[in-house]
Amino acid sequence: MLETLTGIGPKTKQALSHLGIDTLEDFIEYYPYRYELIRRTNMKEAKEDDSVIIDGTVTNIPRVVYFKKHMERMNFRIQTRDAWIDIVIFNRAYLKKNLKPGTEVTVFGKWKPKKNQIVASQLQFGKLEKEYVESIYHLTSKITNKKMIQWIDEALKLAKPRPSFIPKTIEEKYHFPSKEESVLEIHHPTSTITLKKARTRLKYEELFMFFYKMTLLKEVRKKETGLQRKISYQKVQNMIQQLPFSLTVDQGQAVQDIFHDLESSSRMNRLIQGDVGSGKTILAFIASYMNFLSGYQTAFMAPTEILAIQHYQKAKELLEPYHMTVALLTGKLKASEKKQIQKDIFEGKIDLVIGTHALISEKVTYHNLGLVITDEQHRFGVQQRRELKNKGLTPDILYMSATPIPRTYALTIYGDMEVSNIKTRPTGRKEIETQLFSEKQLKEVLTKMYVELQKGHQIYVVAPLIEENEESDTKAVDTMYENMKKAFGKRYTIDMLHGKQDGNTKEKIMSEFQENKIQILISTTVIEVGVDVTNATMIVIFNAERFGLSQLHQLRGRVGRNELQSYCLLVSNYDKERLQILTKVSDGFQISEEDFRLRGSGDFFGVRQSGDMSFQLADIYKDFSIVKHAKEDAELFRQNKIYFDFEEEKRFTEFEKSIVHLD
């Protein structure tokens, strides 16, 4: 019970739950993501903007200045061993009553030598008696690192870590320390050598469990009987030949992969990953047609209603000539329309239904669902498979992703799937011209924007944050909107789009942009996975250094979706060597390799959001040696199942049952 720990009430319990901490064991296994050596800085050696730690005595009553909305700045002075230093700290006015002259404090912050000032990020009362290592944890705004350390220490006294999921034979093979030793070491390091051993052991356990699960799921799915199908390949070929464009070599190979999967006795579980604009959607329509020829219904799930509507319009145009009935099921429909579509799905009158995740809700009952296609970010997870299974359905599943992953990593990460890669671009598409500018060259950027607007084309402008931060030079969406209005507002319509808007507002703005009622759309990365606006020929990305290369490539893919020449302008004063890669490379797979090399998988995948790969410590790229061994060992152990003792056998048997039951 978390309430047994000091100072944890209902609100704190809720905040901890957001971090995935609901039990004492969760606390124990909530690991630091980095460490800080806390020791007094030699201020004589400190340079501009260095992170410093200094202690001293407060010499005056702090002064608080209020500005903007809910912002304040507090100034006071401390006397150190050698000199006095001005301290500035933001949004900590509540500490004023405790910062009386004569109070001893330790200050953490950035050194500004010209002003003889530290811009503090943290204050601690009392002097720094001795140097020590502090574990740093991921936190919410309501929980401090100090509190987290206190609760973890209390939890370590009251409970033990969960039993090890590394088989004893493997622990001995690699001379791993025990799990208990490793957990204690990771929270309170005693040396760099023992800390490295502890982290390696805990990373390996995360990865071993993941790959054991993947191996088991692959076995289960191979045993699952697929739907009985007989598809006329000639009819599929005839349909492909009637398309208004030719398929690329990669698309042709993917069609064959899907055909063989659908006709095989096992269930399909395939990922189609391709570059932005590589033509994955047409493969989904061809797969739907194959499924229709074998007498089954298809559910095509898109991440947004806008994208669902776009897919619906294209599907109707391409598939209705082949006597396929296509329907759209979204939240915007009237209750009576939804009811009618649900009735038609149940009676088998609809062959392809397109919508969001509502397609597999309890209100929708299929006549004979044979294929589920999921587009973009929506990995079709365990929960969704279970919902369909509860309805007595075991359809084939086709995923589509526009985030190319290097083959080595795809085979590792998507160990339970077959993967088809689409690398070649459709004919007629021009390469997007990418250029890098500094903020001093803003006039040149605006001139290039004006040239495109004069041609009647539209422009995306991307800013990383919604609101300005006092200590940040990031161009926020609202500030960017005002700046663009000054530059182009008299002649062109400008609007903005960001994550804080409700769904209806976003839909309305995107629809108006599609219809060219808006010429410049200021946005955050919510446009990363979006619609085809074929008239948009330019995207301008400010503070480009704040994005990963793959994310920038995704954003760049919002333009260049026609035969017109399109442009991507990156604006940044920093990290120019890395950003130059985008000006030279247009292949998403090559860019993903660079992103892995430079940033690691966390930035690339956003793995902590995926639900399938929530590793606390392991990094798929940086720890690839551990990944490789864990994968090989998990497959070998699953195959041979040599248990150390009864407890180990029981633990793995229960783990296997939970996986199979969930799936």
Side-chain angles (χ1 to χ4, degrees), residues 617-630:
L617 297 172
D619 181 301
I620 289 292
Y621 177 73
K622 292 174 183 170
D623 301 316
F624 198 67
S625 173
I626 306 172
V627 168
K628 190 167 170 285
H629 287 298

Side-chain angles (χ1 to χ4, degrees), residues 177 182 185-186 194-203:
S182 299
E185 182 66 28
I186 202 166
T194 50
L195 176 61
K196 189 177 179 183
K197 284 181 180 176
R199 283 176 64 83
T200 301
R201 187 239 185 271
L202 293 169
K203 282 178 182 182

Side-chain angles (χ1 to χ4, degrees), residues 157-189:
K157 289 171 187 170
L158 295 169
K160 288 185 174 183
R162 293 179 181 92
S164 169
F165 263 94
I166 303 177
K168 273 274 193 276
T169 49
I170 294 176
E171 275 192 350
E172 289 166 4
K173 174 184 170 183
Y174 294 118
H175 307 291
F176 281 143
S178 73
K179 185 162 184 180
E180 280 197 47
E181 288 170 334
S182 299
V183 169
L184 281 170
E185 182 66 28
I186 202 166
H187 288 301
H188 295 290

